[in-house]
Amino acid sequence: MYRPLPSEVTIKKSNIDGLGLFSTRAIEEGRNLGISHVENSDFENGYIRTPLGGFINHSNTPNCKIVNNGKVLRLITNQAIRADTELTTYYSLYELPN
């Protein structure tokens, strides 16, 4: 069965901006939450965003990182995260990590 988000993540109102990604339970450091973007030159900035990529908010002190795995970008926790915590990453609108 396809799930657009891993079971430990949900979307809800963010205090940062609009809607955001939140943990539904504790998540360990280094957890690969899945694909956030897929490379495709037909789309703005050369990527299609998945729900992970579309709802992750920016922070100067992020608890996740985006890792480039070739044609896909993955969202990975860079610290242990408590339940009901907003997931964030550091990003620039026009620059994605190599």
Side-chain angles (χ1 to χ4, degrees), residues 4 13 19 54 63 85 93:
K13 184 164 175 37
L19 298 173
N63 53 21
T85 300
L93 183 60

Side-chain angles (χ1 to χ4, degrees), residues 10-63:
T10 193
I11 298 168
K12 60 185 192 178
K13 184 164 175 37
S14 168
N15 289 327
I16 297 171
D17 183 44
L19 298 173
L21 298 176
F22 287 81
S23 57
T24 59
R25 61 180 183 254
I27 305 171
E28 69 276 5
E29 180 179 355
R31 169 81 161 97
N32 180 349
L33 297 172
I35 296 171
S36 62
H37 298 76
V38 177
E39 188 176 295
N40 187 311
S41 61
D42 293 333
F43 288 80
E44 183 178 2
N45 299 319
Y47 287 92
I48 299 169
R49 292 184 297 176
T50 70
L52 285 175
F55 290 100
I56 189 89
N57 276 317
H58 170 84
S59 173
N60 286 325
T61 57
N63 53 21

